[in-house]
Amino acid sequence: MTDQGFGVVRPLPGNGLVAHEDGLLLVCDAAEAVVEDLLGALRETAASGGDGRALARRIAQILAVMMGEPVACAVAGPVSGGVAVLVSGPAFASVTGANGEIQLAGRDALTWSDRLVPGPVTRVELRLPDAGDAHPLSRLAVRRSPAGAGCSARPSASAAG
């Protein structure tokens, strides 16, 4: 699924965890009690060849169990014809595509906010509140980084449509 995912993923500086696996993105507060569950959902979805919709559904199941305090997390991944995005708690997402920029904030919902954004998508940004700006030379070359408060991603050439 990598050829349908994000070609360049830049971590944003800050306190949090950023993970990128087979075209699927996750940003969360590393102090969250469910961080291992969130990472497990990302790994399992990627391993099974799942898309952004499958990832969002798995994350929603985890969040549904944690209905007390909102969990700070955001996920995104390609789907047929666009990108699926889910945000919770203080996390924020911005997706730029054919219809301009679409923004989602977890705090705007009682549970979480999610959306299927039609393509072509040119940029996806997932952020926690303390995220800085991405350095133009930075790249997320590893599957996850424990020092990041978000990520900025551009789809690979084959995913842009």
Side-chain angles (χ1 to χ4, degrees), residues 1-2 9 19-26 39 42-47 50 55 76 140 142-144:
M1 189 163 166
T2 305
V9 178
H20 174 230
E21 195 150 339
D22 289 342
L24 303 172
L25 300 171
L26 165 73
L39 285 170
L42 176 75
R43 283 190 300 266
E44 291 166 14
T45 304
L55 175 62
L140 185 61
V142 296
R143 290 187 182 176
R144 57 190 153 269

Side-chain angles (χ1 to χ4, degrees), residues 24-26 38 41-42 45-46 50-64 73-79 83-88 112-116:
L24 303 172
L25 300 171
L26 165 73
L38 297 171
L42 176 75
T45 304
D51 63 2
R53 183 187 310 255
L55 175 62
R57 287 178 175 163
R58 286 180 191 240
I59 296 298
Q61 289 173 340
I62 294 166
L63 296 176
C73 76
V75 298
V79 296
V83 173
V85 182
L86 179 145
V87 295
S88 172
W112 54 81
S113 295
D114 59 56
R115 174 97 43 104
L116 289 173

